[in-house]
Amino acid sequence: GYFGASDGSRMYGHGIVTLMLTEMLGMGVDESLDASIHDRCQQAVDLIVRSQRKKKPPYAKGGWRYTPDASDSDLSISVWQMMALRSAKNDGLEVPSSTIDDAIDYLVRSFTSPVDADRKPRVRKNGFSYEANNDNPTFAMTAAGLLALQVCGVYDSELVLGATEWLLDHPPKWEDRFVLYGLYYYAQGMHQ
């Protein structure tokens, strides 16, 4: 069930391949191929769920990192797992709601302004950082955080609005680190 081991792409590759396979589900040339894709997708989703549940410090809970057994998390890996889970859920695969809830909690901690109990940020116009509890928003991670919230079903929160405002004030620049990576998320997140 782990797609990122053989090619060295680790959990990046795992999330991307899982997303691709969930998008292919039902498009096989016959029922046997569809059943095989379905079974492999469920195994991949189960690995994502188990990986999130590994023992981690409080700031890293709910996210993912480079390997399935990692004890920390970062947003760049986590967003791929969240996109794969959303697609899997859309396909009717088993995705525990607690996994999505924990992912949302991780995203809230990755927002660079502290939030209150109602998840309202102290400073609404803000971004997302590579790791939780950090105050260094970047274009790529803010675009990733914006899209990740949306694929988890959070569309109208103060964090979504604040990230959108931050992105409008900090448009992409070719010299930005990981600008193309950020544009991938930006296009989808801003479209939503």
Side-chain angles (χ1 to χ4, degrees), residues 1 6 9 15 22 31 78-79 83 113 128 138 157 169 175 183-184 187:
S6 63
S9 62
T22 58
E31 287 183 27
S78 296
V79 65
M83 289 192 300
S113 174
F128 287 86
T138 65
S157 80
D169 282 355
E175 64 272 10
L183 284 170
Y184 173 80

Side-chain angles (χ1 to χ4, degrees), residues 138-161:
T138 65
F139 170 79
M141 290 299 94
T142 301
L146 172 64
L147 180 61
L149 280 171
Q150 294 168 337
V151 300
C152 288
V154 178
Y155 297 100
D156 295 321
S157 80
E158 293 290 315
L159 302 182
V160 168
L161 297 172

Side-chain angles (χ1 to χ4, degrees), residues 36 53 96 116 123 132 146 176:
S36 178
R53 293 181 179 164
D116 65 18
V123 178
L146 172 64
D176 286 348

Side-chain angles (χ1 to χ4, degrees), residues 66-81:
Y66 292 102
T67 61
D69 60 347
S71 61
D72 60 349
S73 301
D74 77 63
L75 184 52
S76 70
I77 302 276
S78 296
V79 65
W80 285 107
Q81 310 320 306

Side-chain angles (χ1 to χ4, degrees), residues 44-121:
V45 166
D46 293 345
L47 182 130
I48 292 171
V49 171
R50 282 192 312 274
S51 177
Q52 184 197 48
R53 293 181 179 164
K54 293 289 181 183
K55 184 176 169 94
K56 298 178 183 191
Y59 72 90
K61 286 185 180 190
W64 294 265
R65 192 64 172 210
Y66 292 102
T67 61
D69 60 347
S71 61
D72 60 349
S73 301
D74 77 63
L75 184 52
S76 70
I77 302 276
S78 296
V79 65
W80 285 107
Q81 310 320 306
M82 292 176 213
M83 289 192 300
L85 291 172
R86 173 59 180 265
S87 183
K89 190 171 182 136
N90 288 349
D91 284 336
L93 294 166
E94 275 187 50
V95 178
S97 58
S98 61
T99 300
I100 303 304
D101 293 342
D102 291 345
I104 293 169
D105 289 342
Y106 176 75
L107 290 167
V108 169
R109 286 190 303 279
S110 298
F111 195 72
T112 56
S113 174
V115 298
D116 65 18
D118 295 323
R119 294 185 170 163
K120 294 196 183 214

Side-chain angles (χ1 to χ4, degrees), residues 172-183:
K173 298 178 187 90
W174 287 116
E175 64 272 10
D176 286 348
R177 190 169 187 210
F178 307 119
V179 67
L180 294 177
Y181 180 75
L183 284 170

